[in-house]
Amino acid sequence: MVKRNLKIVLLVLILVCLASTGFFVIFITGKLVRWYNPYLDQELAGPTTTTSQWLEIAPRSPLKVERQRHMIALDLDKSINTEREGSRLVLPDGSIVRPQVELVGNDGKTYELNVPSLFQSNTGAILAYFSGDDLPKDKTYIKVRIRSDRPVRCNRIFWRNYNLWDAESPF
C-alpha cells in the first residue's frame, strides 16, 4: 500500500515537473518569437510619391489598434535624409518637408497622426512614423490620408502595431 502511494506521488511529481517545464519552454519561445519579430505590420501601399493633394489609401482590411504602439510608417526613398535633431525630412534638393497623415474611422471621423518620429535602420533605410496620442481602441480605420508640401518618394507605406516590451531584449 505504501509502495503504491509512493508510486502515485512520484508520478504526480514527475507530471507536475513536466507540465511546468512545458509551460516555461512555451513562455520563453513566445518571448523569443515576439522579440525577433515584435511588429504586426499591414502593408498599405508599395512604391508611392506623396504630393500636396491628399493621397487616400483604403486598406484591404480595416486597421485596428491592437497593441501599445500604433502608427503609419513611410519607408522613405534613400535619396531622402533627416533633419538633425528634428522631425522633418530633407529632400534631395535641400528643401525640408513634414508630411501630414490622417486616419479615417469607420464612423467617418478623421484622426490626425501628429506625432512624427524618424528611425534609421542599420541598412540605412529611413522610416518616418506618424502616430496619434489618443487613437480610440474600439474603432477601426478604413482609410489613410497622406500629403506633403513637396513630393516625397516612399518605397512602401504600412500600418505598424507593437508593444514596447516585445521590442526589447527578452533577457
Side-chain angles (χ1 to χ4, degrees), residues 66-125:
E66 297 184 53
R67 294 195 178 163
Q68 182 185 23
R69 302 281 184 189
H70 34 273
M71 59 200 66
I72 294 295
L74 308 179
D75 179 356
L76 301 172
D77 185 79
K78 288 195 184 242
S79 65
I80 298 172
N81 291 305
T82 60
E83 182 183 49
R84 290 216 190 277
E85 304 298 323
S87 61
R88 298 180 302 176
L89 306 174
V90 180
L91 301 179
D93 66 0
S95 59
I96 296 176
V97 66
R98 180 175 164 221
Q100 292 176 277
V101 180
E102 296 178 343
L103 293 177
V104 178
N106 56 351
D107 59 356
K109 188 174 177 184
T110 301
Y111 300 87
E112 185 179 359
L113 302 182
N114 56 6
V115 181
S117 58
L118 302 171
F119 172 76
Q120 186 166 6
S121 72
N122 55 4
T123 64

Side-chain angles (χ1 to χ4, degrees), residues 35-159:
W35 176 68
Y36 182 71
N37 187 12
Y39 306 113
L40 289 177
D41 289 350
Q42 183 176 342
E43 193 83 17
L44 300 174
T48 306
T49 301
T50 66
T51 65
S52 59
Q53 301 297 313
W54 283 110
L55 167 67
E56 292 195 352
I57 302 168
R60 283 183 230 136
S61 60
L63 306 176
K64 297 176 188 172
V65 173
E66 297 184 53
R67 294 195 178 163
Q68 182 185 23
R69 302 281 184 189
H70 34 273
M71 59 200 66
I72 294 295
L74 308 179
D75 179 356
L76 301 172
D77 185 79
K78 288 195 184 242
S79 65
I80 298 172
N81 291 305
T82 60
E83 182 183 49
R84 290 216 190 277
E85 304 298 323
S87 61
R88 298 180 302 176
L89 306 174
V90 180
L91 301 179
D93 66 0
S95 59
I96 296 176
V97 66
R98 180 175 164 221
Q100 292 176 277
V101 180
E102 296 178 343
L103 293 177
V104 178
N106 56 351
D107 59 356
K109 188 174 177 184
T110 301
Y111 300 87
E112 185 179 359
L113 302 182
N114 56 6
V115 181
S117 58
L118 302 171
F119 172 76
Q120 186 166 6
S121 72
N122 55 4
T123 64
I126 296 174
L127 296 177
Y129 292 125
F130 296 88
S131 58
D133 289 330
D134 297 317
L135 276 181
K137 293 176 174 56
D138 61 338
K139 298 207 180 300
T140 58
Y141 303 94
I142 57 171
K143 201 179 295 181
V144 177
R145 298 176 48 173
I146 304 171
R147 72 176 174 187
S148 57
D149 293 338
R150 303 281 314 251
V152 175
R153 290 193 334 237
C154 304
N155 298 319
R156 65 184 178 127
I157 300 171
F158 59 98
W159 170 248

Side-chain angles (χ1 to χ4, degrees), residues 16-29:
V16 167
C17 287
L18 286 174
S20 61
T21 301
F23 286 125
F24 179 74
V25 167
I26 290 169
F27 175 76
I28 293 299
T29 302

